[in-house]
């Protein structure tokens, strides 16, 4: 089943520090790939947020991802399964950043199961002008870690 999490509060730096615990211990746990986020917020911020998510989620297959050039705008159930098989991961994280106003954007991140390609979690996080990529990433990655611990692998 798919779960949607909407976070109403803006991201806070103190929250980011509190959520910095690692997803894996000693390399155990599910393998996750974070594909680059897309959207109309701007490539620089999207890249910073993608990199922050990769760090927060302890992604260890960055080299494999860098070698591939996936079109993240058109990820479907079928393509998610294919990509996950190609890079040997249990979960794919995809998403987008959409600008709503000059000072507000919405980050939508999707956790996809590699076996089915289904979205297991959608995290929608408002992003205000003063928020950093690291702060937004901490909130989103905490929700992903929580969901993975519930569904396991």
């Amino acid at each position: 089943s798919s779960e949607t999490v909407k976070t109403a509060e803006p991201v806070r730096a103190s929250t980011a520090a509190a959520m910095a615990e690692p997803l894996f211990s000693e390399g155990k746990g599910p393998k996750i790939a974070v594909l680059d986020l897309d959207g109309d917020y701007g490539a620089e911020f999207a890249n910073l947020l993608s990199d922050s998510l990769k760090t927060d989620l302890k992604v260890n297959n960055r080299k494999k991802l860098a070698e591939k050039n996936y079109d993240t705008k058109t990820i479907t159930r079928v393509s998610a399964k294919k990509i996950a098989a190609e890079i040997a991961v249990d979960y794919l994280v995809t998403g987008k950043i959409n600008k709503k106003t000059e000072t507000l954007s919405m980050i939508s991140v999707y956790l996809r199961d590699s076996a089915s390609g289904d979205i297991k979690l959608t995290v929608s996080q408002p992003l205000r002008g003063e928020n950093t990529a690291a702060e937004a990433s901490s909130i989103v990655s905490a929700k992903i870690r929580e969901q993975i611990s519930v569904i396991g692998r």
Side-chain angles (χ1 to χ4, degrees):
S1 84
S2 179
E3 179 182 327
T4 299
V5 175
K6 292 190 179 186
T7 307
E9 293 181 24
V11 183
R12 306 230 187 292
S14 60
T15 308
M19 295 182 191
E21 73 275 0
L23 177 63
F24 309 118
S25 62
E26 300 172 13
K28 297 176 184 171
K31 293 179 183 166
I32 300 172
V34 177
L35 300 183
D36 289 336
L37 303 181
D38 93 332
D40 54 11
Y41 190 84
E44 184 179 341
F45 185 83
N47 289 339
L48 286 170
L49 183 57
S50 296
D51 286 345
S52 268
L53 281 169
K54 290 172 187 174
T55 299
D56 288 351
L57 293 172
K58 308 296 182 205
V59 171
N60 59 3
N61 55 357
R62 290 181 188 214
K63 186 175 180 187
K64 281 185 186 178
L65 284 174
E67 292 169 358
K68 307 286 183 179
N69 190 19
Y70 296 115
D71 181 3
T72 57
K73 293 177 182 154
T74 59
I75 299 290
T76 63
R77 252 180 94 250
V78 173
S79 65
K81 285 171 55 172
K82 182 179 181 223
I83 292 168
E86 283 177 9
I87 56 179
V89 295
D90 299 308
Y91 296 99
L92 278 181
V93 175
T94 60
K96 59 187 172 191
I97 308 170
N98 291 320
K99 193 170 190 171
K100 301 293 182 190
T101 68
E102 278 304 310
T103 59
L104 176 67
S105 294
M106 184 61 72
I107 301 168
S108 299
V109 175
Y110 312 101
L111 176 68
R112 291 181 173 270
D113 182 79
S114 64
S116 65
D118 291 340
I119 295 174
K120 295 297 183 183
L121 176 70
T122 299
V123 179
S124 296
Q125 173 65 42
L127 179 69
R128 306 223 182 273
E130 69 273 6
N131 297 133
T132 68
E135 291 169 337
S137 173
S138 291
I139 294 291
V140 171
S141 60
K143 298 294 182 189
I144 291 171
R145 284 194 300 271
E146 181 181 316
Q147 181 68 11
I148 289 174
S149 71
V150 170
I151 58 179
R153 181 61 95 197

